[in-house]
Amino acid sequence: MKLKKIYDFLNEISPFELQEEWDNSGLLVGSYENEIEKVYLTLDLDEEVIENADENSLIIAHHPLIFKPLKNVIPTSFSTKLLIKLIQKNISFIAMHTNFDKTHLNRFVAEEILGLKGESFDFIYRAEVNKPFGEFAEEIRNRLNLTCLKTVKYHNFIKTVSLTTGAGMSLLPYVKSDLFLTGDIKYHEAMDAKVRGVSLIDIGHYESEKFFADIMGKELKDLAVEVIKSNSKNPFIYN
Amino acid sequence: MKLKKIYDFLNEISPFELQEEWDNSGLLVGSYENEIEKVYLTLDLDEEVIENADENSLIIAHHPLIFKPLKNVIPTSFSTKLLIKLIQKNISFIAMHTNFDKTHLNRFVAEEILGLKGESFDFIYRAEVNKPFGEFAEEIRNRLNLTCLKTVKYHNFIKTVSLTTGAGMSLLPYVKSDLFLTGDIKYHEAMDAKVRGVSLIDIGHYESEKFFADIMGKELKDLAVEVIKSNSKNPFIYN
Amino acid sequence: MKLKKIYDFLNEISPFELQEEWDNSGLLVGSYENEIEKVYLTLDLDEEVIENADENSLIIAHHPLIFKPLKNVIPTSFSTKLLIKLIQKNISFIAMHTNFDKTHLNRFVAEEILGLKGESFDFIYRAEVNKPFGEFAEEIRNRLNLTCLKTVKYHNFIKTVSLTTGAGMSLLPYVKSDLFLTGDIKYHEAMDAKVRGVSLIDIGHYESEKFFADIMGKELKDLAVEVIKSNSKNPFIYN
Amino acid sequence: MKLKKIYDFLNEISPFELQEEWDNSGLLVGSYENEIEKVYLTLDLDEEVIENADENSLIIAHHPLIFKPLKNVIPTSFSTKLLIKLIQKNISFIAMHTNFDKTHLNRFVAEEILGLKGESFDFIYRAEVNKPFGEFAEEIRNRLNLTCLKTVKYHNFIKTVSLTTGAGMSLLPYVKSDLFLTGDIKYHEAMDAKVRGVSLIDIGHYESEKFFADIMGKELKDLAVEVIKSNSKNPFIYN
Amino acid sequence: MKLKKIYDFLNEISPFELQEEWDNSGLLVGSYENEIEKVYLTLDLDEEVIENADENSLIIAHHPLIFKPLKNVIPTSFSTKLLIKLIQKNISFIAMHTNFDKTHLNRFVAEEILGLKGESFDFIYRAEVNKPFGEFAEEIRNRLNLTCLKTVKYHNFIKTVSLTTGAGMSLLPYVKSDLFLTGDIKYHEAMDAKVRGVSLIDIGHYESEKFFADIMGKELKDLAVEVIKSNSKNPFIYN
Amino acid sequence: MKLKKIYDFLNEISPFELQEEWDNSGLLVGSYENEIEKVYLTLDLDEEVIENADENSLIIAHHPLIFKPLKNVIPTSFSTKLLIKLIQKNISFIAMHTNFDKTHLNRFVAEEILGLKGESFDFIYRAEVNKPFGEFAEEIRNRLNLTCLKTVKYHNFIKTVSLTTGAGMSLLPYVKSDLFLTGDIKYHEAMDAKVRGVSLIDIGHYESEKFFADIMGKELKDLAVEVIKSNSKNPFIYN
């Protein structure tokens, strides 16, 4: 199957033009003319994912490999090391990032994983909770398998929750709930949330997005290509 | 004592011109002409710190209260809420941020708290370790009282370590050690470190800088003002 | 009465979104939640106006207090000195500037004060005159109480006049009349007008806008708050 | 005499490289190769000055004819109308603006016209006064022949004065005296000065710089060209 | 006839608002009020064209005389030397550049000179060819009188051709034909075309646009002015 | 031999820091750690050069492969098509561009090829000629093997000449000779030169730089690697 046909299918289920201005979703490596038999799905690209992928295949990942445009292709950075390996194995690479967050990922995690019932607005999913903070936090920990629970507690009782998978703290000013669930929360962002009266539970960047391959797998199941889920590993170990 | 005299003393032990271009260290609230009797020291400003401080006093904190210049002073953001309270109690405010990192904080944490013996270059402290990763990680956990240990492990044995207190991951390209200790490590930064072959231990932004008041207290002990350590609280709870 | 209600009323009679891009009209100090009993009206903020105002009141002025965003709040400049006093007395501050010029001020001065009959386009009011320059200039002097008449005379007879209160010389290229009335005219602007064949009468920045409190007072007369006209003083003395 | 020789002489007595970055002093019209017999001196260019000047002559003026670079030469603006006349009469034009302020004009007006004894720093001349405000203001009025005295009075007694000819209010933050003398003072600048505790006397842009031709005439008296003082008119009439 | 009337006629047959953003088509020298009896047409302005033109006439040229805005009018550059001569002879100057390319020039050269039959899209004219490269190249050489044929040959047989008069290589990415005809082709542009599989024939900037005066002459034939074709010379000699 | 050693040698004979700001000389593809046995030298990269090169080799070219930074590596442009081939054959790539112009290329062409005796200043080589234009032009044609001579003739007799290999017309304002030799001369640049009184001979971009491999070959002759001259082809055919 021509890569162009797969690209067009992806563009239909999650239009690339929905991506944010700073994002770089789309075909980043390879050619629309390539003949693809195998498609690998992964949250992120890492060395193991590439090693396990066949030559001439296609990898679809959540995060773009290239953000800052390249003035050379020397293996001194994260992206160029992997980029060179992709090109040498003639593996094509498509990123489905902020467009996919908006059309699929947020809603899936909120509803299928966390069992919430609400609505999705752009990057933010909002739902009612009506539970004590501690009880709800334990529930989140269990459903996402979080080893270490990192929270900012402002209210003892949570009426409504907002959720953004990945690293969503820049959206804090748009959060209208008692509690915000997102990953990669930094110290000053936590201070800010506290002053604004918003509680936080850090649901992990990896932990809240590791479902990417599963969701994408379901979408591609009728396509005439072999689809392999080949998730990257969480770089963090907690103990 | 005139505030100007205290400002000049601070400028001598840690010159404000050493601050980074994006920083906003210096006198942010109050007047050089104010007569100061009490000085409060805190890592950060929070509502409790201000409530406990006397009118007409001075607060010296690590982090600047204002980063983005203000077009109005309405209590809808973190900084303006606290700013208004400072002005209404006529409390002056000085930030000692990146200048103090370079002259005091990094070295103090490395040597006095972690017991390392090395050298400080700008924002990075480098030292020899020569211990297994696991053993050294436990040592760090104990010395900093970290509830939850979040690491990225690349080498089993650590020869040299680099340290930057606070959130130092933007300095990763300048790290020449097996292991980098810093706080607020995000997921993609962890991915990047792994590809570069650098292990990480997240030492916490608050946990690695909470010594600010202690260090500053020693420096000010001979000044003819009453000095009170009045640290802000860590917004995060771990369990 | 909640400040938010007063703000909404002002926004209705003179929408803030009409303001120019470089302007900073709107709520600059205080909170929408404040309970307001007294409203002071003034062309400009000066120390006397603040001293005479009650705590917890609201001041509505023509000119914004803050133009250049603030990196600190130290009493070394005009705006910050007054800003600090406002905050310490918990006085809120709203500026009605270029939006108000367009909706009220120009037309009021042209019709109610100068007795012209014409039309208002954005910042410029145009009307017929058909009088000798000298006669019309004397009329303007009397109606505005100008001690010293500063003019640029190109035509002996004035057919049409344009008017912009405050400092309007940047609008000269859009003036299609024999005579332009505005304040704060500078030397090179006068040279330019002469070459373009436009006569000028300097009607004073203060003298042409001192009606702000009167106009606003009429607009607010049915609002359930006490309204006090408390005009700032003209800094210039002429003799 | 070749224009280049006159240019070099001017550059010697008042180097063009001293001009401010936004200024456009130097040769603006004509050619360094032109043979010059007559030189006209004027504060500013106006139509009368050009009409009275001979063909192939040189005009030296204080203010540059061109500030904003030109995309066409159509007679719709002040500068292009005069520019076209200069070119059609083959008259060359040199501007001696901020370089001349720094080397000649400020000091001349302060010492020769106002009888002050002080020192010149860049654009500001500073001197001692030690007189009541009213007495000194009358003295200024008489020495400069000001019809209308426009002042801002903060102190009753003036110890020191600063002076900048032309329009100098942007220099206010650098003024360290009780009183600042300059021209073209606008309303908000007057408000600002009052808050800073600086009194003002508006000495007129034209009135404070009309000595340009006289000063330049003395400098050129030994040059082998005919020098004619041909001052432009003040566009303002006061009564 | 008033210049304004000629300008309006030109604007009707080839609207100036069609010009590219970087272009400077329109009236560049002279006044809309001028009374014009003679109009000279030329591809470009050069010294001979101006010398041969009567005073008070109008020159219409393809290329704008001014691109980079002028801070002075000294005869040290191409444009200012000619500009001064225009002004001194009171000759007005209108440029009809990218607007005219789009409305007239491309189509005329393609159809009237090269005998192609196709369609014009913005700056590019596209047509079928279906001839061997060598045969078509000779045909182009003869129709345009090219002394020296400079080509990049990728295909032996040309199915379709695109044409942009003047210097059109920046449009290469939009060329969808086997062959692109344009002028001023540079070495790296030729390399680029070869990699893209597009053949090139350099039809000369001057040689492909020298028809400007002819085309314009036909358009102006019913206007009540004397029209003289007075083409500039090709600066290049080939042998 | 490690690529790093070759890079260091190149940096010694022609320091990369001499390159212009807009240039991108240096290691663009491959790794400093690569073990290199064969080095190919070429003016430019084209498909043939890459096909003929061994895997794991190094290509040193004059022109950088990447100018505009890349947001993806898809084979739709000149540079990315070649870039992908380089990476797939694990061929490293170093560009020696404006640094090499300044240290080697200009002087070599002037002295060794054209037989001039003069001096090199940055990008321009200047020498005396003292010959009739026609005679000197024929000499240039013969020494560079130019099929088609494209000239702009202003003077009949040439006293001095300036030379810049490649495309040097942007340097015209710095040329102080009767004649300028450079390549890729465009029509408007020729017009400009004529007005400035500078004659031109277009010496071809390729034709004036094709000596790159020869010069570099001599420099590398003592290095312990096999050096192969493998020049790219001139894309232009002249007849």
Side-chain angles (χ1 to χ4, degrees), chain A residues 31-205:
Chain A
S31 160
Y32 292 111
E33 300 310 312
N34 285 358
E35 201 61 46
I36 301 297
E37 286 176 18
K38 283 192 180 170
V39 177
Y40 297 87
L41 306 177
T42 179
L43 174 57
D44 251 304
L45 206 58
D46 63 14
E47 289 175 318
E48 222 177 307
V49 170
I50 299 182
E51 258 153 54
N52 292 335
D54 281 9
E55 300 208 343
N56 310 313
S57 63
L58 165 67
I59 295 175
I60 302 174
H62 188 43
H63 296 116
L65 182 60
I66 304 172
F67 273 115
K68 191 166 176 292
L70 306 166
K71 289 207 74 174
N72 55 50
V73 189
I74 304 180
T76 48
S77 77
F78 176 63
S79 56
T80 44
K81 266 185 193 158
L82 300 177
L83 181 61
I84 290 167
K85 288 190 180 164
L86 285 176
I87 295 172
Q88 286 181 341
K89 288 186 77 171
N90 196 30
I91 299 173
S92 299
F93 180 85
I94 289 175
M96 301 281 286
H97 191 207
T98 52
N99 53 326
F100 198 74
D101 284 334
K102 293 178 187 174
T103 58
H104 288 73
L105 195 51
N106 258 346
R107 177 181 297 274
F108 180 91
V109 172
E111 298 181 355
E112 305 294 318
I113 304 301
L114 302 184
L116 299 171
K117 286 206 173 64
E119 267 184 291
S120 198
F121 309 88
D122 211 26
F123 280 114
I124 300 176
Y125 188 96
R126 294 197 186 101
E128 294 217 352
V129 172
N130 292 316
K131 290 180 186 170
F133 179 88
E135 180 188 331
F136 189 61
E138 274 311 309
E139 215 176 300
I140 296 294
R141 180 212 289 263
N142 293 333
R143 285 176 180 266
L144 287 171
N145 272 318
L146 305 173
T147 316
C148 172
L149 202 59
K150 182 179 173 185
T151 62
V152 173
K153 184 176 168 186
Y154 189 86
H155 300 87
N156 282 319
F157 191 82
I158 300 302
K159 280 187 279 190
T160 62
V161 69
S162 287
L163 166 109
T164 299
T165 58
M169 283 305 288
S170 64
L171 301 167
L172 184 65
Y174 308 104
V175 167
K176 305 291 176 219
S177 311
D178 309 302
L179 173 64
F180 187 34
L181 306 179
T182 195
D184 271 349
I185 305 173
K186 300 179 77 173
Y187 167 69
H188 286 293
E189 295 164 348
M191 294 290 280
D192 193 6
K194 211 167 172 180
V195 174
R196 287 171 186 271
V198 176
S199 298
L200 302 173
I201 301 176
D202 192 325
I203 55 174
H205 194 132

Side-chain angles (χ1 to χ4, degrees), chain C residues 154-232:
Chain C
Y154 189 88
H155 301 87
N156 281 320
F157 191 83
I158 301 302
K159 279 187 281 190
T160 62
V161 70
S162 287
L163 166 109
T164 299
T165 58
M169 283 304 289
S170 65
L171 300 168
L172 184 65
Y174 309 104
V175 168
K176 305 295 175 214
S177 312
D178 309 301
L179 172 65
F180 186 35
L181 306 178
T182 195
D184 270 348
I185 305 174
K186 300 180 77 173
Y187 167 69
H188 287 292
E189 296 164 348
M191 294 291 280
D192 193 7
K194 211 168 173 180
V195 173
R196 288 171 186 271
V198 176
S199 298
L200 302 172
I201 300 174
D202 192 324
I203 55 174
H205 195 131
Y206 179 90
E207 290 85 345
S208 69
E209 295 196 328
K210 65 185 174 195
F211 312 99
F212 175 80
D214 287 340
I215 309 172
M216 188 57 85
K218 283 181 200 156
E219 288 283 4
L220 300 187
K221 68 178 187 301
D222 295 334
L223 225 58
V225 287
E226 186 183 350
V227 174
I228 301 110
K229 292 181 220 162
S230 163
N231 247 344
S232 55

Side-chain angles (χ1 to χ4, degrees), chain E residues 73-92:
Chain E
V73 189
I74 305 179
T76 49
S77 77
F78 175 64
S79 57
T80 44
K81 266 184 193 158
L82 300 177
L83 181 61
I84 291 167
K85 287 189 180 165
L86 285 176
I87 296 172
Q88 287 181 340
K89 290 186 74 170
N90 196 31
I91 298 173
S92 300

Side-chain angles (χ1 to χ4, degrees), chain E residues 43-45 63 76 78 81 141 148-153 167 184-188 190-192 194-196 205-206 235-239, chain F residues 43-45 63 76 78 81 141 148-153 167 184-188 190-192 194-196 205-206 235-239:
Chain E
L43 174 57
D44 251 303
L45 207 57
H63 296 117
T76 49
F78 175 64
K81 266 184 193 158
R141 181 212 290 262
C148 171
L149 202 60
K150 182 179 173 186
T151 61
V152 173
K153 184 176 167 186
D184 272 348
I185 305 173
K186 299 179 79 173
Y187 167 70
H188 286 294
M191 294 291 281
D192 193 5
K194 212 167 172 180
V195 173
R196 287 170 186 271
H205 195 132
Y206 179 89
F236 288 121
I237 307 164
Y238 295 88
N239 41 43
Chain F
L43 174 57
D44 251 303
L45 206 58
H63 297 116
T76 49
F78 176 64
K81 266 184 193 159
R141 182 212 288 265
C148 172
L149 201 61
K150 183 178 172 185
T151 61
V152 173
K153 184 176 168 185
D184 272 348
I185 304 173
K186 299 180 80 173
Y187 167 70
H188 287 293
M191 294 291 281
D192 192 6
K194 211 167 171 179
V195 173
R196 287 171 186 271
H205 194 132
Y206 179 89
F236 289 121
I237 307 163
Y238 296 88
N239 42 44

Side-chain angles (χ1 to χ4, degrees), chain C residues 5-48:
Chain C
K5 263 188 99 165
I6 302 174
Y7 180 91
D8 288 345
F9 177 79
L10 293 172
N11 195 36
E12 217 169 278
I13 63 165
S14 184
F16 288 106
E17 69 178 23
L18 289 181
Q19 72 181 285
E20 296 291 287
E21 203 192 348
W22 50 263
D23 193 10
N24 193 23
S25 290
L27 179 64
L28 301 190
V29 181
S31 162
Y32 291 111
E33 301 311 311
N34 285 359
E35 202 60 47
I36 301 298
E37 287 176 19
K38 283 192 179 171
V39 177
Y40 298 86
L41 307 176
T42 180
L43 174 57
D44 252 303
L45 205 58
D46 63 14
E47 289 175 318
E48 223 178 306

Side-chain angles (χ1 to χ4, degrees), chain F residues 6-238:
Chain F
I6 303 174
Y7 180 91
D8 288 346
F9 178 78
L10 293 171
N11 195 35
E12 218 168 278
I13 63 166
S14 183
F16 288 107
E17 69 177 23
L18 289 181
Q19 71 181 288
E20 296 291 288
E21 203 192 349
W22 50 265
D23 193 9
N24 193 22
S25 291
L27 179 65
L28 301 190
V29 181
S31 161
Y32 291 111
E33 300 311 311
N34 285 359
E35 200 60 46
I36 302 297
E37 287 176 18
K38 283 192 180 171
V39 177
Y40 298 87
L41 306 177
T42 180
L43 174 57
D44 251 303
L45 206 58
D46 63 14
E47 288 175 319
E48 224 178 306
V49 169
I50 299 182
E51 257 154 56
N52 292 335
D54 281 9
E55 300 208 344
N56 308 315
S57 62
L58 165 66
I59 294 176
I60 303 174
H62 188 43
H63 297 116
L65 183 60
I66 304 172
F67 273 115
K68 191 168 176 291
L70 306 166
K71 289 208 73 173
N72 55 50
V73 189
I74 306 180
T76 49
S77 77
F78 176 64
S79 56
T80 44
K81 266 184 193 159
L82 300 177
L83 181 62
I84 290 167
K85 287 189 181 167
L86 285 177
I87 295 172
Q88 287 181 340
K89 289 186 76 172
N90 197 29
I91 298 174
S92 300
F93 180 85
I94 290 176
M96 301 280 287
H97 191 208
T98 51
N99 53 327
F100 198 73
D101 284 334
K102 293 178 187 173
T103 57
H104 288 73
L105 195 52
N106 258 347
R107 177 183 296 274
F108 180 90
V109 172
E111 298 181 354
E112 306 293 319
I113 305 301
L114 301 183
L116 300 170
K117 287 206 171 62
E119 266 184 291
S120 199
F121 308 88
D122 212 22
F123 279 115
I124 299 177
Y125 187 95
R126 294 198 187 102
E128 294 217 352
V129 172
N130 291 318
K131 289 181 187 170
F133 179 87
E135 181 189 330
F136 189 63
E138 275 310 310
E139 215 177 299
I140 297 293
R141 182 212 288 265
N142 293 333
R143 285 177 180 266
L144 287 171
N145 270 320
L146 305 173
T147 315
C148 172
L149 201 61
K150 183 178 172 185
T151 61
V152 173
K153 184 176 168 185
Y154 190 86
H155 301 85
N156 281 320
F157 191 83
I158 301 303
K159 279 187 279 189
T160 62
V161 68
S162 287
L163 166 109
T164 299
T165 59
M169 283 304 289
S170 65
L171 300 167
L172 185 64
Y174 308 104
V175 167
K176 305 292 175 217
S177 311
D178 310 301
L179 173 65
F180 186 34
L181 306 178
T182 194
D184 272 348
I185 304 173
K186 299 180 80 173
Y187 167 70
H188 287 293
E189 295 164 348
M191 294 291 281
D192 192 6
K194 211 167 171 179
V195 173
R196 287 171 186 271
V198 176
S199 298
L200 302 173
I201 300 175
D202 192 324
I203 55 173
H205 194 132
Y206 179 89
E207 290 85 344
S208 70
E209 295 196 330
K210 66 185 174 194
F211 312 100
F212 175 79
D214 287 340
I215 309 171
M216 188 56 85
K218 282 182 201 156
E219 289 282 6
L220 301 187
K221 68 177 188 299
D222 296 334
L223 225 59
V225 288
E226 187 182 349
V227 174
I228 302 111
K229 293 180 216 162
S230 163
N231 244 345
S232 55
K233 295 244 176 69
N234 190 350
F236 289 121
I237 307 163
Y238 296 88

